Amino acid sequence: MVAIRIENLTKIFKAIAGSTIAVDDLSLEVHEGEFFTLVGPSGCGKTTTLRIVAGLETPTHGNIYFDGDRVTELPPQKRNVSMMFQNVALFPHMTIAQNIGYTLRIHKIPRTEIEKRVKNVAEMLGIADKLKMKPGQLSGGQRQRAALGRAIVGETGILLMDEPLSSLDAKLRAEMRTEILRVHRRINATIVYVTHDQVEALSMSSRIVLMKDGKCQQIDTPAGLFNKPTNVDVATFIGTPSMNVLSGRVIRKDERMGVEFLGATLPLSDEAASRLDDTQNVLIGIRPQLLRLRAKRESAQDIPVTIDVIEPLGVEQQVSVKPEYGPEITVVREEASDFKEGGVGYLSFEYKNAYIFDDESGQTISFTL
Amino acid sequence: MTRRRLQTIVIYVGIIFVVLVMGFPLYWMVKTSVEPPTTLFSPPYSYIPTTFSGENYRLLLFETYFPTFLKNSVIVAFFCTLISAVVSVLAGYGLTRFEFPGKKLIARGTLFSYMFPPLMLGIPLYIIFDSLGLRNTYVGLVLAHASIGIPLGTWIMWQYFQIVPKSLEEAAWVSGASRMRTLREVVLPIATPGIITVSTFAFAFSWNDYTYAKIFQDDITMFTVTTGINSFVERTAVHWGLIQAGATLITIPTLIIIVFLQRQLLESMAVGGLK
């Protein structure tokens, strides 16, 4: 197990048309044995960061340390890491056994030892009967297992994974997610995992860094990212469907502060009020699961809406509603369908379940109203 | 329905016509070579050989320099193919995988240089080879042939390496393989169809070349099969029997290559956008 430290990492890709900053002054630490995930929208620099850790790209500035040793200039061959690639990248002309054992052969491990270790890994991953086949003869899931096998057979201290599951269908992806977690528990490796899928990130990781435009937005545990997002970007990226973000305005009425949005005025808690100025513009974030949609108005603060689209999701249903003022709002509700598209409903929520973000910087101001 | 049938008929008529036009000279070549030399100029001429004789081949192989021509051609074609393949693979790999200014220009330029007619390069090359003492040598002719084989080969390999995913190489590097080892064990096996195509083109060009062989080699012991056969056209006599027998023999290697490698050739031509 190896700890990784990334220090002031910057990567600029120069091109004739102009340069792009892929990674912008990123610093973070991955603890040994951790399952650490880099997540973010495409183009956020997460894959570039991983490739720099692997040694496949050289950073423009900054350093990489493995267990305190600087490895910034080391080529990939000398870093003693293993990697799983987005497109599997099994060697098409070699058998599965040769693919898995390739790294052992390069490191001049005796043949009998190679055979034994390849067999062990293949059995662990349930592909022992496929060892004599070529990658082209395997299904997508089996190829994925073989690629995982090739990555773990060398018993390197660091295992890098670049969106390894993105080419699989939903069912296989869930299966492989479990497989990777199972493998992580059995081997002694620090895993750095890259994905754009926040569900994958939340369900697998010990800790997550959320990146956007090459910058670190937040490093936290899955629960921390979900419950305490540092800004509106993190809040909307994490969670499905995305958090509803509505613009509002702080007002003062009879020494009490409140926030006005969607045509209603809601009082602010003392804690939230202490961090806000009068007449400040803010963004209000509410998760779709924490909104209530009822057929009857039960309180003066309920917001009347028109039901736009109803999408059944099995147990739950996702409803898009349109208030009189403001943008479309998504609600996820467990109740059986008693609404019709085009009908009328009333929206309410508990104040403690809403976030307040700064209108300009997007930074979180308060975790409740 | 009838329209489609008409279309088929038109296509077949076209194919038959082309096959006749292209095939008849070949047929005539083989026919003349297996007939006794005496029947050549004694009418009536029939389209089907009536008497067979190995006399032309006996004369060709035992009474002329043809075995020497054949040896020269094999040596030159072999080394031209080898050099073209090795240089094209390395150059094509470099053009695909390394970043340097003017890369695209160089890659396209290689194809452009291939388009020069051999005759145009022949004269400057003659002057260079003459001053270097490379006329009437294998080295000179091999280099001249490779100057055609390498640009085309480099361009084909440049196209071919672009379809070999870079992540395959990266997977090998992370596994600990050096760049050369990765090229040998991962890239080349995948690029085999491309290498076969490059080799075939280089071989075919060298084997069939007349221009360079004519310009650089004036010693009859250094003639290749093409210029050698031309030497059977003498001031006082044209030895048709020898010419046709020689031509038949030198067609055989090309024929074998086409039959056995057709699939790979078409495959890599599709990759290179040549088809």
Side-chain angles (χ1 to χ4, degrees):
Chain A
M1 284 190 275
V2 176
I4 305 165
R5 187 153 53 104
I6 296 172
E7 202 178 75
N8 304 110
L9 188 72
T10 300
K11 175 69 183 180
I12 299 167
F13 286 109
K14 287 202 178 71
I16 301 159
S19 42
T20 9
I21 302 172
V23 183
D24 192 358
D25 200 28
L26 180 74
S27 294
L28 57 87
E29 267 179 64
V30 182
H31 309 148
E32 57 177 309
E34 200 170 28
F35 196 118
F36 190 87
T37 301
L38 298 135
V39 72
S42 53
C44 72
K46 55 193 191 300
T47 294
T48 307
T49 307
L50 190 79
R51 290 173 56 83
I52 292 172
V53 173
L56 296 170
E57 303 275 357
T58 39
T60 313
H61 303 292
N63 283 304
I64 308 287
Y65 298 88
F66 289 172
D67 274 346
D69 300 327
R70 207 176 126 225
V71 296
T72 318
E73 270 91 44
L74 277 188
Q77 288 91 342
K78 300 239 168 75
R79 292 206 181 185
N80 197 26
V81 299
S82 50
M83 186 159 172
M84 254 180 108
F85 292 82
Q86 187 170 6
N87 63 354
V88 187
L90 289 171
F91 309 124
H93 56 292
M94 296 186 195
T95 63
I96 297 304
Q98 285 169 329
N99 263 290
I100 296 177
Y102 190 64
T103 181
L104 301 178
R105 217 175 79 217
I106 289 166
H107 290 102
K108 299 203 168 67
I109 309 283
R111 182 192 290 250
T112 47
E113 165 90 12
I114 294 181
E115 275 172 22
K116 206 178 91 197
R117 281 170 70 175
V118 168
K119 204 162 147 266
N120 282 345
V121 165
E123 268 163 14
M124 180 163 127
L125 295 167
I127 48 168
D129 54 333
K130 305 283 185 286
L131 285 176
K132 288 201 173 69
M133 293 187 185
K134 295 269 176 73
Q137 296 166 277
L138 268 58
S139 70
Q142 291 162 343
R143 279 204 284 268
Q144 214 55 248
R145 282 163 197 272
L148 180 59
R150 182 175 66 179
I152 61 174
V153 76
E155 292 169 10
T156 54
I158 296 174
L159 188 47
L160 307 172
M161 299 188 174
D162 182 11
E163 307 210 20
L165 308 184
S166 60
S167 61
L168 299 179
D169 60 54
K171 189 169 170 286
L172 266 176
R173 202 177 315 165
E175 204 180 299
M176 279 306 290
R177 227 153 62 191
T178 319
E179 190 73 51
I180 290 175
L181 282 177
R182 198 165 66 86
V183 164
H184 180 228
R185 263 178 228 123
R186 288 186 58 169
I187 61 172
N188 297 316
T190 308
I191 293 185
V192 183
Y193 191 96
V194 162
T195 181
H196 63 268
D197 181 350
Q198 44 100 12
V199 177
E200 223 167 271
L202 290 177
S203 62
M204 298 173 84
S205 324
S206 335
R207 284 193 310 145
I208 299 170
V209 58
L210 196 147
M211 292 176 73
K212 196 189 172 215
D213 300 330
K215 289 197 184 76
C216 162
Q217 301 289 310
Q218 186 169 356
I219 304 177
D220 215 324
T221 58
L225 273 188
F226 190 85
N227 295 323
K228 306 259 164 180
T230 55
N231 61 41
V232 68
D233 289 327
V234 176
T236 49
F237 190 81
I238 301 289
T240 24
S242 269
M243 181 185 279
N244 296 297
V245 178
L246 310 155
S247 26
R249 191 178 165 79
V250 178
I251 53 161
R252 184 182 288 273
K253 205 172 171 184
D254 313 330
E255 292 306 303
R256 283 283 294 169
M257 279 172 78
V259 63
E260 192 180 52
F261 72 109
L262 293 177
T265 306
L266 302 175
L268 281 170
S269 67
D270 292 343
E271 196 198 338
S274 67
R275 296 185 197 155
L276 289 160
D277 300 331
D278 295 6
T279 72
Q280 187 180 353
N281 286 329
V282 290
L283 297 171
I284 311 291
I286 310 163
R287 294 215 181 269
Q289 289 83 352
L290 302 175
L291 280 162
R292 293 269 163 280
L293 185 63
R294 296 195 189 89
K296 282 185 198 139
R297 187 169 212 150
E298 291 184 0
S299 135
Q301 259 117 24
D302 287 2
I303 300 151
V305 291
T306 316
I307 312 295
D308 196 11
V309 181
I310 300 175
E311 296 168 61
L313 303 171
V315 180
E316 300 171 329
Q317 63 177 191
Q318 183 178 327
V319 187
S320 301
V321 298
K322 217 158 156 43
E324 200 175 335
Y325 312 97
E328 192 137 292
I329 297 171
T330 314
V331 183
V332 171
R333 54 201 300 277
E334 274 178 38
E335 295 98 303
S337 174
D338 46 5
F339 287 105
K340 283 207 178 72
E341 291 181 359
V344 175
Y346 294 91
L347 212 55
S348 64
F349 62 95
E350 287 183 42
Y351 301 150
K352 68 173 167 52
N353 291 334
Y355 300 87
I356 304 174
F357 306 105
D358 189 283
D359 182 41
E360 275 158 28
S361 69
Q363 294 301 311
T364 307
I365 296 170
S366 167
F367 296 112
T368 61
L369 276 194
Chain B
M1 181 62 202
T2 47
R3 199 195 154 115
R4 180 169 294 175
R5 182 168 291 177
L6 191 72
Q7 245 174 15
T8 317
I9 291 169
V10 168
I11 288 171
Y12 271 87
V13 167
I15 290 172
I16 290 166
F17 178 73
V18 170
V19 167
L20 281 179
V21 168
M22 308 289 275
F24 184 74
L26 282 175
Y27 168 73
W28 204 252
M29 169 184 88
V30 178
K31 176 194 169 277
T32 312
S33 75
V34 297
E35 282 182 327
T38 46
T39 60
L40 252 177
F41 296 108
S42 50
Y45 305 114
S46 72
Y47 286 103
I48 295 150
T50 44
T51 46
F52 291 92
S53 147
E55 181 64 8
N56 285 324
Y57 288 94
R58 194 192 64 77
L59 283 172
L60 184 74
L61 295 175
F62 297 106
E63 308 288 326
T64 69
Y65 277 111
F66 192 77
T68 312
F69 304 154
L70 208 56
K71 184 190 80 183
N72 294 342
S73 268
V74 167
I75 290 172
V76 170
F78 173 78
F79 283 103
C80 167
T81 308
L82 188 73
I83 292 174
S84 298
V86 171
V87 175
S88 302
V89 164
L90 293 175
Y93 180 80
L95 282 174
T96 333
R97 294 295 194 245
F98 293 97
E99 287 303 324
F100 52 87
K103 194 172 98 158
K104 278 238 164 73
L105 197 71
I106 293 171
R108 300 217 172 98
T110 55
L111 195 63
F112 179 65
S113 73
Y114 166 73
M115 289 169 184
F116 281 113
L119 203 56
M120 197 179 120
L121 294 172
I123 294 155
L125 278 179
Y126 178 87
I127 297 166
I128 296 168
F129 284 2
D130 189 50
S131 60
L132 292 175
L134 290 176
R135 287 199 307 117
N136 288 315
T137 63
Y138 291 133
V139 175
L141 199 54
V142 165
L143 287 179
H145 287 173
S147 78
I148 300 291
I150 289 172
L152 178 68
T154 303
W155 187 79
I156 291 174
M157 290 317 293
W158 174 57
Q159 296 282 318
Y160 209 91
F161 282 131
Q162 284 174 2
I163 63 149
V164 178
K166 197 158 190 248
S167 58
L168 286 179
E169 282 174 69
E170 290 173 344
W173 297 343
V174 173
S175 299
S178 66
R179 202 178 257 277
M180 276 320 276
R181 182 158 185 181
T182 304
L183 187 65
R184 209 171 58 235
E185 292 182 354
V186 176
V187 181
L188 291 189
I190 298 167
T192 307
I195 298 168
I196 289 174
T197 310
V198 169
S199 307
T200 311
F201 276 121
F203 177 84
F205 175 79
S206 181
W207 189 256
N208 294 329
D209 168 66
Y210 178 79
T211 318
Y212 284 150
K214 189 74 184 168
I215 295 173
F216 303 135
Q217 323 290 74
D218 54 20
D219 175 355
I220 195 164
T221 61
M222 289 307 292
F223 279 13
T224 60
V225 282
T226 51
T227 53
I229 287 173
N230 188 52
S231 75
F232 298 146
V233 180
E234 288 183 306
R235 211 164 294 177
T236 50
V238 178
H239 303 284
W240 284 112
L242 293 178
I243 291 174
Q244 303 297 46
T248 304
L249 286 184
I250 69 172
T251 311
I252 292 169
T254 325
L255 206 65
I256 291 173
I257 288 174
I258 296 297
V259 169
F260 283 100
L261 300 181
Q262 198 173 30
R263 210 168 56 87
Q264 269 101 335
L265 284 173
L266 286 176
E267 215 169 84
S268 57
M269 276 184 204
V271 165
L274 283 167
K275 201 166 75 173

